[in-house]
Amino acid sequence: MRMVAAAKINLGLKVLNRRPDGYHNLESVMQQVSLADYLTFERVSSPGWQFKSTVPRLGGEDNLVCRAARFLAKRVGASPPGVKITLYKNIPSGAGLGGGSSDAAATLRGLNIFWRLGLSSRELAELGASLGSDIPFFLHGGGTAFARGRGELISPLPPLPLFWVVLAKPSRLSISTASVYGGLEEKMSPVLSPNILREAILKADREAILNWLGTGAINSLQSSVLTCYPRLGRLRRRMGELGLKAAMSGSGPTFFALSDSYSLARQAAQILQAEGYRAILCWTVQRTVTDR
Ligand code: C5P
């Protein structure tokens, strides 16, 4: 069995306040893109689960795939039928693209089928929320959605019209989400309410969606990350010179831009790649499963 685990970008992310549990309440419009990891699930004779990743340093027990499998195995009790999970990694990790969360969601969906647990997407999303704030978005089918709470309360939105998406980050830079939220106090960028974008999406107003991205004030975490990593400011400016209005996804360091033009997006991605950035051309995708 093979599962696709697509990445996400945050088309808007407004942090509201720090909560007593240490997390932050936020509002975000999340969008799935075509860049994806793949997971295979193969039957093996020894009971329980085994895990391998095409990127060896991600093959440890602390990988979210392992944590998700351990979590579900506990629910099965005794000894679940043997399965070997292989993760084919494409999404950069620690990049603000939700790769680990998407892998965990695909693991929960995959093992739910493989071990015949019969859990609904809603039940899986509740389980997923205890592993990571972004996981429920993927378990609700991804696509386009409005997220609240610490990111785990998901209301699906109508699909975004098709846009080309350029993703770019410095090649070897990854950032821990916890460190960005931890250093946030007093350094939060003032941003517009993602409800403005939500309205534009509900009206399928393509121009308003692009205008929103052009405002440059859509992610509360951006200025604090730019202060810590000045080279991200240079990346953002470079993307601007190439005709792309870029914003940061999640806690970074990936910057993304949407474009109507395939040739502009492709050329920009090629130039950024040639300049040493990790640049990826992909596109917006629609929801893959419906809630039960
Ligand atoms: O939920 P997740 O494991 O992705 O969160 C990683 C860390 O990011 C949390 O431990 C927390 O420090 C921070 N975080 C937060 N508020 C959120 C999401 C994450 O403070 N809404």
Side-chain angles (χ1 to χ4, degrees):
M1 189 172 72
R2 191 176 86 136
M3 306 290 283
V4 179
K8 62 85 186 163
I9 51 178
N10 299 83
L11 297 177
L13 172 61
K14 185 176 171 97
V15 176
L16 304 177
N17 61 295
R18 191 167 187 276
R19 312 175 352 164
D21 63 5
Y23 282 89
H24 292 76
N25 282 316
L26 53 81
E27 287 177 340
S28 180
V29 173
M30 299 175 78
Q31 172 63 48
Q32 215 165 9
V33 294
S34 59
L35 170 69
D37 292 339
Y38 296 90
L39 290 97
T40 56
F41 299 78
E42 295 165 73
R43 201 176 297 282
V44 289
S45 50
S46 53
W49 51 275
Q50 304 164 19
F51 173 60
K52 198 181 90 186
S53 167
T54 52
V55 177
R57 78 186 150 77
L58 299 180
E61 285 286 304
D62 58 339
N63 189 292
L64 269 170
V65 169
C66 289
R67 288 168 54 198
R70 253 197 312 273
F71 202 67
L72 270 196
K74 260 194 225 138
R75 274 188 79 107
V76 186
S79 50
V83 57
K84 179 175 153 197
I85 307 168
T86 307
L87 169 63
Y88 297 83
K89 197 75 193 154
N90 295 312
I91 306 171
S93 43
L97 295 171
S101 302
S102 190
D103 297 341
T107 304
L108 293 174
R109 278 193 286 126
L111 291 179
N112 187 39
I113 297 168
F114 209 90
W115 287 340
R116 298 177 200 281
L117 301 178
L119 298 165
S120 68
S121 321
R122 221 167 277 280
E123 287 169 308
L124 286 176
E126 275 167 30
L127 294 177
S130 59
L131 290 168
S133 310
D134 285 343
I135 297 175
F137 165 71
F138 296 104
L139 287 163
H140 281 290
T144 311
F146 199 78
R148 293 188 185 80
R150 61 181 169 91
E152 88 286 21
L153 305 175
I154 300 296
S155 317
L157 287 170
L160 203 74
L162 176 77
F163 285 104
W164 300 103
V165 181
V166 178
L167 306 173
K169 66 183 276 294
S171 284
R172 275 174 292 279
L173 180 62
S174 63
I175 297 183
S176 127
T177 303
S179 72
V180 173
Y181 277 101
L184 196 59
E185 306 312 325
E186 291 154 30
K187 274 191 256 156
M188 221 146 53
S189 326
V191 295
L192 299 167
S193 166
N195 279 299
I196 300 170
L197 175 62
R198 187 171 158 270
E199 290 302 314
I201 293 172
L202 288 170
K203 288 187 203 140
D205 187 340
R206 206 179 167 91
E207 212 178 304
I209 294 168
L210 285 173
N211 284 344
W212 160 267
L213 294 167
T215 60
I218 62 172
N219 184 335
S220 298
L221 306 174
Q222 186 170 298
S223 64
S224 100
V225 174
L226 284 175
T227 306
C228 292
Y229 302 94
R231 58 185 154 145
L232 292 177
R234 290 196 288 278
L235 167 60
R236 185 170 179 236
R237 277 192 296 281
R238 185 69 186 118
M239 291 174 82
E241 287 162 9
L242 297 169
L244 300 171
K245 287 176 178 154
M248 194 176 80
S249 179
S251 52
T254 303
F255 275 71
F256 71 90
L258 303 192
S259 176
D260 274 331
S261 161
Y262 173 68
S263 56
L264 185 146
R266 181 164 168 268
Q267 198 185 15
Q270 281 174 340
I271 293 171
L272 291 165
Q273 190 83 39
E275 290 174 358
Y277 291 107
R278 173 97 193 261
I280 297 163
L281 175 62
C282 54
W283 55 92
T284 53
V285 295
Q286 300 193 4
R287 302 180 74 205
T288 45
V289 296
T290 6
D291 288 339
R292 274 196 288 141

